[in-house]
Amino acid sequence: MPSAQKPMRYGHTEGHTDVCFDDTGSCIVTCGSDGDVRIWENLDDDDPKSINVGEKAYSCALKNGRLITAASNNTVQIHTFPEGAPDGILTRFTMNANHVVFNSDGTKIAAGSSDFMVKVVEVTDSSKQKTFRGHDAPVLSLSFDPRDVYLASASCDGTVRVWKIEDQTCVTNWLLLQKCNDVINAKSICRLGWQPGSGKLLAIPVDKVVKLYRRETWDNKFDLSDTSITQPLNVVAWSPCGQYLVAGSVDGSIVVWKVETQECIERTKHEKNYSICGLAWHPKYRQIAYTDTEGNLGLLEDIGDAKKTNDKVASTAAKDYNDLFDGDDDDYLNGDAIEPPSSPTPGANEDHGDDDDLMPTASHQRRAILDDDDNSLDIGMIKANSNLLAKDDDDDDQTGGFPALPASSTQQHFYDGPLPTPRQKPFQSGSTPAHLMHRFMVWNSVGIIRCYNDEQDNAIDIEFHDTSVHHATHLPNSLNHTMADLSTEAILLACESTEELASKLHCIHFSSWDTNKEWTVDMPKDEDIEAICLGQGWAACATSALLVRLFTVGGVQKEIFSLPGPVVAMAGHGEQLMVIYHRGTGFDGDQCLGVQLIELGKKKKQVLHGDPLSLTKKSYLTWVGFSAEGTPCYVDSEGIVRMLNRRLGDTWIPVCNTKEHCKGKSDHYWVVGIHENPQQLRCIPCKGARFPPTLPRPAVAILPFTLPYCQVTTEKGQMEEQYWRSIVFHNYVDYLSKNGYEVDENATSQSVKEQQELLMKLFALSCKLEREFRCVELADLMTQNVVNLAIKYASRSRRLNLAQRLSEMAVEKASELATALEEEEEEEDFRNHRNAGYSNSAAERRRLPVRNVQQDEEMEDAEETDEYEEAEETPEVHKQRPNPFSKGVTSAEVTTSKPAVIASSSQGRVNPFKVSSNKKDPMVPSASILDNMSKYSKKTSSSSRAANKQSPPVIKPLIPKPKSKQASAASFFQTRTPNSSEKTVEERQEKTVEERQEKAGRESPEVKVTTQDNTENKRPKTGFQMWLEENRASILTDNPGLNEAEVIKEGMSRFRVLSSEERMAWTEKAKGRAANDLTEDKKRKRPTATEDEEKKNQEQKAEDSNVSKKPKTSGQSTNARLSAFAFKQS
């Protein structure tokens, strides 16, 4: 009986129009390009209810009183039905969604967008989303499997994909459609559909036929066609019973088939031959509502020769069983009635457990029936394993009727592991998807390249951040370039091949000094360019033939090398080329990528040899490049930024998580550049999107870096993160200096100060927490000067064991430093062919006597300023004392508000009246030293080096001790330059002598006794000291830049190469002079101002003489000295 076609009526403005019925079929719902959703009670309704959802509405779906719409504001919205009240936004895309559908029970919706994404969202909890990636062009349509296992999608990339919803993997895909770059250019919107109820057939409109694919096997079971179809089919829709299929074409033809017999039962034509873009079956009656691209609504009634509704089918389900399924289902082992698919609820299905298509538990019953046929079961398992098992097979094949068992059944597959992940497509860093009409071809630290491909223009705009590099440029895009890169030298463009033209690489070398600035290279036949990049003086492209081709920036072909797998992305900076490629097949949603890092300078070498690239689980690569300083970096889709750590064997360290800065789950940051100094991650915030639109011009945001260290909310974790971040972000300094680049010394020294300050704070914190072993570990990271400061801090904190161990460490560091300096000098002398007569082998230099190592350490300790002694006892003191690492103050120039006396086994108070003959490098401003000296008695003494000759080289805890008028022997090599006259100092000191002596007497009664005979313990001057006095000028002539400590080390190395006879002669000479000095010292009294002036003149006349008197020994025991320190009044 032919169907009745009612006259069409106007529904919406011209454009795509969608249609659906409500659950009961009491009204028709349409949406259109006017942004309205209209609710029609019937086709004759002259006043339909209207709900505005946006500027345009692309698709609508209705179930369970919820109306879902895809609007032009890139959102999927929900409204109550029939009230039409807004009920929130389910999800967002970066572009508009083209199709939305409900699953069978209305608990989930699926949406496909023009940004290639497919999302499945829980209706009641929109935070539960699953994203399906794999399409390379806008998504045209979607369809849920009635059993909620699979989701089918069609795209402008020409493919139809079937996804497994649970693990978001692509089960299969077919290349069926004609490719296009946008929905408006598609010949068909390809509205596909699953067969209701069983879901065993998937109908796809392909050109002039409807292809039906079988579930699980995914083979093409048969095609439906008709001679009346002369144009491509646009949309298909199943009847609720699953027995009939209707299709609409772009020329207005509507055809209905009975699927079981493949018979065409209805043919009708649009009254104006407009393209059919929407079809919907009435849930109860044999009616079809349809819409066209002009916004009109129509209705077909009385489809087919059967007039029974599904309500009647429900009451006589057994009689009409064959109407619900294809003939193949007759082979099922039991023929009980099942619930009609118009109400596929789990509660109803419990009464019909034989329906395996709707109830997973039915497989248990069927398996029980087949238990006596083990072979059939094994064949079923094998077929399921090989992905060849069908829902049903030929009528005469009983075992083929055994369905694929769901994962919840007791049957175990042979392979139940992870599935392969589709490989990520090649991309250009800093670009947006190629299908967009307006897109970024590249955005980097040099500039921006935009591409416009619309009806009016096909062009490329180039803009430079710094216009002094080059002015903005507008280029025609006649070759349809899809890839671009930009540097301060050139612009590099590339296009894919077509049937007529080869793939081309086009370079505009705008920094060239000649007039011909452009060149083009054609790739060989069947070889497409997939990625390009620019460096300093070179360009590179990776092709589909797994080759990387190098060119000079002027167009000369250079080296070619093969890649182990398909390229993903490339980046260049200076002489470095980084290539990311597929090194294998990933599983379980992970990509399997490798990275090669090659240096293309004069010394060509490969740094990374295809090492695996670390990515977050189930993520893919989104950006790859270099920091402004030349360190390789990359970003994955989870927002993790990783940087190459050259210091730790070229490993990758995560330095930022951009997701932590996003406000919403669908927000992202689009990276455009990375700077290490200052530490900046330059990126563009994208709300509800992964990439920004070209207009309006996006604003660049700056994010900080944070290493993912543990417990960064605590003081310890925060300082550890800051220290290692400073280390990582200054690795580039070593790399640049090794490659001949100039490095900012101020920035380097500042970073070292920052790192050492953090270590000292951590040291103080560990001391406070009584973690002495941790203190030693921290000290191992410190420089030698800061270790000395740590020793003083440990002594002040009364941690003698810690101070002892740190002293040993300081000696080792001094020895290692001396050895390293000697080896470096030896290498330099060898290179320059200069032998001053004192170079010897590294082995000889390593045979350094223990006494000299100790002496070297003691001399360096003597150079420490007095101010370091008053190191803070608790971490809080840091806030009150001047920053010892602040700008302009070296580690040897730190001053504090609490001056203290240096008193250790190897140090003594420096003579403030001593005038240095070497005035180049005064260690500490004399003014502060003199001010400090005025607060202490001159009659003090320090422990004698001679008295402690046999003890190990340990720096004792600092305690106040009496001091002699002369400086200690340890200060022999320390230089001082007084800023005021000694007479003034003498007067200031005399005022406080008695007061300080009384105080010292109260603190330590033994002090006065020891000052009477301390001259007996003076140690004679060594031969090395006398030799150094006479040879200091020679050392400084050869090495004018050395400071005092380096002069001593150089002198030691020269003194050691002297013959034993010469060294003995100097020793004898020193003994003779020491005897004379001792006699003279006994006669000497306190010098007057005049005598002191004469002494100063005599010392200035002496050649490089810096003689110091020996320290006097204190008779205090260790405990007495500690007691004196503990109760010392500052």
Side-chain angles (χ1 to χ4, degrees), residues 39 225 238 245 388 417 438 510 536 539 640 687 693 729 823 851 922 1000 1041 1078:
I39 303 171
S225 61
W238 288 89
L245 184 70
L388 296 175
H438 295 183
F510 56 78
Q536 186 175 355
I640 304 297
K687 190 168 182 61
F729 278 86
E823 291 176 352
R851 184 185 63 80
L1078 185 61

Side-chain angles (χ1 to χ4, degrees), residues 12-49:
H12 297 272
T13 57
E14 177 184 350
H16 177 80
T17 312
D18 203 5
V19 63
C20 64
F21 282 96
D22 71 340
D23 295 336
T24 61
S26 60
C27 56
I28 304 171
V29 179
T30 60
C31 69
S33 57
D34 53 9
D36 289 337
V37 174
R38 292 195 168 90
I39 303 171
W40 312 76
E41 292 184 1
N42 52 60
L43 197 62
D44 300 324
D45 187 359
D46 293 328
D47 187 21
K49 183 174 180 178

Side-chain angles (χ1 to χ4, degrees), residues 490-493 505-509 517-520 534 539 553:
I491 302 162
L492 193 64
L493 302 168
L505 184 70
H506 182 64
C507 181
I508 304 171
H509 184 202
K517 300 180 183 296
E518 298 187 27
W519 53 269
T520 303
L534 279 167
V553 77

Side-chain angles (χ1 to χ4, degrees), residues 139-179:
V139 179
L140 292 169
S141 68
L142 301 164
S143 181
F144 263 113
D145 165 24
R147 296 170 61 182
D148 272 358
V149 178
Y150 300 111
L151 175 72
S153 62
S155 168
C156 291
D157 61 9
T159 64
V160 174
R161 291 175 178 261
V162 178
W163 309 85
K164 193 169 184 179
I165 299 174
E166 183 180 357
D167 53 12
Q168 299 166 252
T169 56
C170 180
V171 177
T172 186
N173 69 87
W174 305 284
L175 186 61
L176 301 174
L177 313 176
Q178 186 169 340
K179 293 184 179 181

Side-chain angles (χ1 to χ4, degrees), residues 10 58 78 273 315 650 718 850 855 898 992 1048 1078 1100:
Y10 172 81
Y58 296 99
I78 184 169
N273 295 338
S315 63
D650 292 325
Q718 189 175 3
V850 175
Q855 187 180 46
K898 294 185 179 180
T992 58
I1048 295 170
L1078 185 61
Q1100 287 177 341

